[in-house]
Amino acid sequence: MRCHRPFVGATVALFAGLAITSTQAMATPCTNLQSLQLQHTVINSATDNDSGTFVAPGNPPITGLPPFCRIVATLIPTSDSSIKIEVWLPKSGWNGRFLGTGGGGFQGVISYASLANGLKGGFAATNSDLGTGSSGCNPLFCGSNGNMGNPLAIQFGDPAAPSTGLFGHPERIKDFGYRAIHLMTERGKEIVNAFYGQRAQGAYFAGCSTGGQNALMEAQRFPNDYDGILAGAPAFNRTHLHMAGLFSWQNAHASPGRFIQAGQMTLVNQAVLKQCVGRDGGAPSDQFLNDPRDCRFDPKVLLCTGGKVPPACLTSDQVTTMQKYYGGTVDPVNGQLINPGSQRGNETDDLLALGLAFQERLPEPAFDGLFYWVFGPSFGYPSSPVNFSNFDFHHDIKKVDDVLADVLNATSTDLSEFRGHGGKLLMYHGWADPLIPSQSSINYFNALVGNEGRGVQQAGFFPGGGGNPALRQTQSYARLFMVPGMYHCSGGPGPNTFDALTPLMTWVETGTPPETILATKFVADTPPAVQMTRPLCVFPKVPKYNGSGNANNAASFTCVVHDDEFNQTPAPKYGP
């Protein structure tokens, strides 16, 4: 999340505004696009940028850009829609490919870093605010009771006054859920055709988090939009993922004693590593877990005894908080799992990782804006029948799902049409993701296998790794790579920098699927000094230390299959 990594993902907290550049007096192939007529589209500006630099208000300048044509447009598929898109077109050196890019959270802004990375790679690149900017949304907030004077909420952009996000705007919800990216893709391709006088030879999509949800939604709903799709840490099971955020906040705020103090997440993480590092296939010197499913750490071992007091240990109430943190979001009446819990090894006091340390310090749950879309402004007030502090995980789920699930949840496992035209899906997820449980991506991939092999074998158990015909069929068009020690889309103590787009393009264009992807950890997450390298293995394989050799060198690891790992899965009605 902190370092420059082309094509790996989009950070959730990417705040940017539109930069306005003056139109050149003399018409050019770029400025001529100002008059381009496209369905339900207004071209707001078409400008040449030959300066090598782009500046968005409130953000550092983006430098090292090739000359490009910048198109700013608004898409209006319904009377209540206002979808902002940008298309950046290299004026020379175009690689002949179209690249759709995603963003994070509720978006509401253009992800200029994604556009710049695509442009530097030679792509004609496009990005969208998902239509939520018209409701005043930003990546972290799209409905809230205001920042309530909380410094952290203010720092992360929560507006001062209450807001309802997309409440009362069902068409904008559809734009956010699936329509904005699809229309961005259609209009973007038409703009590419008009500028270059030819169609792109290949179309790719790359996104992480909400961008990962966009990616899976494209494969499911609009399978002909892209030839190759890169989906990182996808927020695909969105309604239940946001319920997990509510659950996490309520868990830590159940009583004053349940709150995890500053520094204690690091305390827990150190205890997890002490118990489990090197026993999960990784190297004994690792500062992260290689496969956290092997770790059975119980926070009870940190229970305060004798004269020890917090923050050097955990009270019994804090032990309960951490046990529920790992246990997942559960219906208190029937015990059904609604969303997987956090994996051991993702504990961090880094607020930018958007985990529990961030969540519990806000006046109301992060990302609870989704529920304002259903319940309206009353959701922000504890006196209301349904609000962020008393949301009932047995009775209130159905109302949310009835309104939002069909529009927001990219949970279909039938990708036959996408597969039929030769489409390839490459997924990745950090094992140490504190925001979206890493198990979720495994569950989706296993569900793809289950869909391919109904009646052949239960998804989730892969003897020998290659003996399952349903797995082989799935891996012919969809592959998952788990990333040891990576936080949400980037960052973390593990090897968190990698290029997943190039292997995807090779797969699409030559038919050669990726077996491994080389990941790098830079010193202080800043190139060029390399701290370590490690292979990312095609799931269900994971990297295993060979027992000798430099543990910081990828050559000291071999990809092996773990046959008997436990995969925490939601109840069928909440899955996959």
Side-chain angles (χ1 to χ4, degrees):
M1 193 174 290
R2 321 295 177 257
C3 60
H4 170 67
R5 293 192 298 117
F7 313 131
V8 175
T11 177
V12 172
L14 206 166
F15 299 93
L18 296 178
I20 307 300
T21 35
S22 60
T23 304
Q24 297 179 7
M26 183 178 295
T28 69
C30 177
T31 60
N32 283 338
L33 294 180
Q34 179 80 56
S35 59
L36 186 63
Q37 299 297 307
L38 301 174
Q39 186 179 32
H40 304 312
T41 301
V42 174
I43 304 293
N44 302 113
S45 64
T47 54
D48 293 284
N49 185 326
D50 300 333
S51 69
T53 300
F54 178 80
V55 181
N59 287 268
I62 300 174
T63 59
L65 298 174
F68 69 100
C69 172
R70 178 190 176 211
I71 307 297
V72 178
T74 303
L75 312 183
I76 313 170
T78 76
S79 60
D80 196 35
S81 296
S82 181
I83 302 167
K84 304 298 183 184
I85 72 166
E86 293 206 18
V87 184
W88 288 14
L89 306 159
K91 294 168 73 172
S92 63
W94 179 43
N95 65 16
R97 301 180 180 95
F98 176 83
L99 180 66
T101 62
F106 298 113
Q107 196 68 338
V109 296
I110 296 293
S111 178
Y112 289 107
S114 298
L115 287 168
N117 287 335
L119 187 70
K120 290 177 180 179
F123 294 89
T126 184
N127 190 263
S128 170
D129 78 337
L130 303 182
T132 59
S134 58
S135 293
C137 302
N138 64 44
L140 286 173
F141 299 99
C142 191
S144 75
N145 195 28
N147 61 52
M148 305 184 208
N150 181 281
L152 186 63
I154 295 170
Q155 178 184 349
F156 279 85
D158 193 3
S163 62
T164 55
L166 306 186
F167 177 66
H169 297 279
E171 295 302 328
R172 293 184 194 179
I173 294 175
K174 292 178 184 177
D175 292 338
F176 172 77
Y178 61 86
R179 190 159 53 198
I181 292 295
H182 173 57
L183 295 182
M184 173 198 79
T185 301
E186 290 193 326
R187 299 294 88 80
K189 289 179 178 179
E190 290 169 349
I191 291 169
V192 166
N193 296 347
F195 184 69
Y196 295 111
Q198 65 182 77
R199 295 181 179 277
Q201 297 171 1
Y204 296 88
F205 184 89
C208 193
S209 193
T210 290
Q213 176 211 11
N214 299 151
L216 292 186
M217 196 68 86
E218 279 291 300
Q220 295 167 23
R221 285 185 182 248
F222 309 104
N224 295 307
D225 277 359
Y226 291 99
D227 304 302
I229 292 177
L230 179 60
F236 71 94
N237 202 348
R238 185 167 286 278
T239 61
H240 307 125
L241 173 64
H242 284 248
M243 289 172 195
L246 284 179
F247 184 87
S248 178
W249 189 92
Q250 289 186 9
N251 177 32
H253 289 81
S255 69
R258 291 279 290 276
F259 198 85
I260 302 298
Q261 299 178 24
Q264 286 187 303
M265 292 300 283
T266 298
L267 173 75
V268 175
N269 181 254
Q270 290 172 344
V272 168
L273 298 183
K274 181 179 179 181
Q275 176 176 316
C276 298
V277 158
R279 302 178 183 179
D280 61 347
S285 58
D286 284 346
Q287 297 302 306
F288 53 86
L289 296 185
N290 187 65
D291 183 348
R293 296 173 300 173
D294 286 317
C295 186
R296 298 292 183 264
F297 170 81
D298 189 332
K300 278 184 180 179
V301 302
L302 292 174
L303 185 65
C304 294
T305 57
K308 293 185 70 176
V309 295
C313 55
L314 301 179
T315 66
S316 58
D317 278 348
Q318 291 175 324
V319 167
T320 298
T321 296
M322 293 308 301
Q323 288 174 332
K324 289 180 177 293
Y325 177 73
Y326 299 130
T329 307
V330 177
D331 184 317
V333 175
N334 56 33
Q336 292 181 335
L337 185 70
I338 300 163
N339 203 70
S342 285
Q343 291 282 17
R344 273 80 170 168
N346 77 1
E347 312 84 8
T348 177
D349 281 289
D350 182 357
L351 299 181
L352 294 177
L354 305 179
L356 181 62
F358 171 76
Q359 172 77 283
E360 67 176 0
R361 285 164 175 78
L362 293 173
E364 65 178 291
F367 303 105
D368 72 338
L370 195 78
F371 303 97
Y372 285 81
W373 306 359
V374 177
F375 298 103
S378 64
F379 192 76
Y381 298 97
S383 60
S384 301
V386 180
N387 62 75
F388 64 83
S389 63
N390 72 4
F391 184 89
D392 188 321
F393 291 92
H394 179 70
H395 293 102
D396 296 336
I397 293 176
K398 185 177 186 301
K399 182 171 183 180
V400 175
D401 280 347
D402 284 348
V403 175
L404 298 178
D406 287 346
V407 178
L408 301 185
N409 293 353
T411 51
S412 171
T413 57
D414 181 6
L415 300 186
S416 56
E417 192 172 347
F418 178 71
R419 181 189 69 210
H421 83 78
K424 307 299 182 188
L425 170 67
L426 195 157
M427 298 174 62
Y428 65 89
H429 203 137
W431 271 127
D433 191 333
L435 182 61
I436 299 181
S438 54
Q439 185 61 57
S440 295
S441 286
I442 293 176
N443 288 339
Y444 183 74
F445 181 81
N446 285 350
L448 288 180
V449 176
N451 187 67
E452 293 293 347
R454 296 190 189 282
V456 177
Q457 182 173 350
Q458 178 69 34
F461 179 64
F462 307 112
N468 180 354
L471 174 63
R472 290 199 304 271
Q473 170 75 344
T474 304
Q475 288 185 335
S476 71
Y477 69 91
R479 295 193 167 211
L480 169 65
F481 293 81
M482 301 301 294
V483 188
M486 187 173 82
Y487 289 162
H488 184 60
C489 295
S490 60
N496 51 35
T497 303
F498 52 93
D499 173 10
L501 184 55
T502 299
L504 174 63
M505 291 192 299
T506 300
W507 189 10
V508 169
E509 296 170 16
T510 72
T512 303
E515 295 293 335
T516 61
I517 296 173
L518 182 67
T520 301
K521 173 72 171 178
F522 290 105
V523 175
D525 283 336
T526 305
V530 174
Q531 179 177 325
M532 70 162 58
T533 59
R534 184 156 299 186
L536 308 182
C537 305
V538 61
F539 186 82
K541 293 181 179 179
V542 296
K544 182 178 181 181
Y545 181 52
N546 294 335
S548 61
N550 184 352
N552 290 327
N553 191 323
S556 300
F557 292 80
T558 303
C559 291
V560 300
V561 174
H562 280 193
D563 287 343
D564 55 355
E565 303 300 345
F566 171 70
N567 297 314
Q568 188 187 38
T569 57
K573 66 179 178 180
Y574 300 127

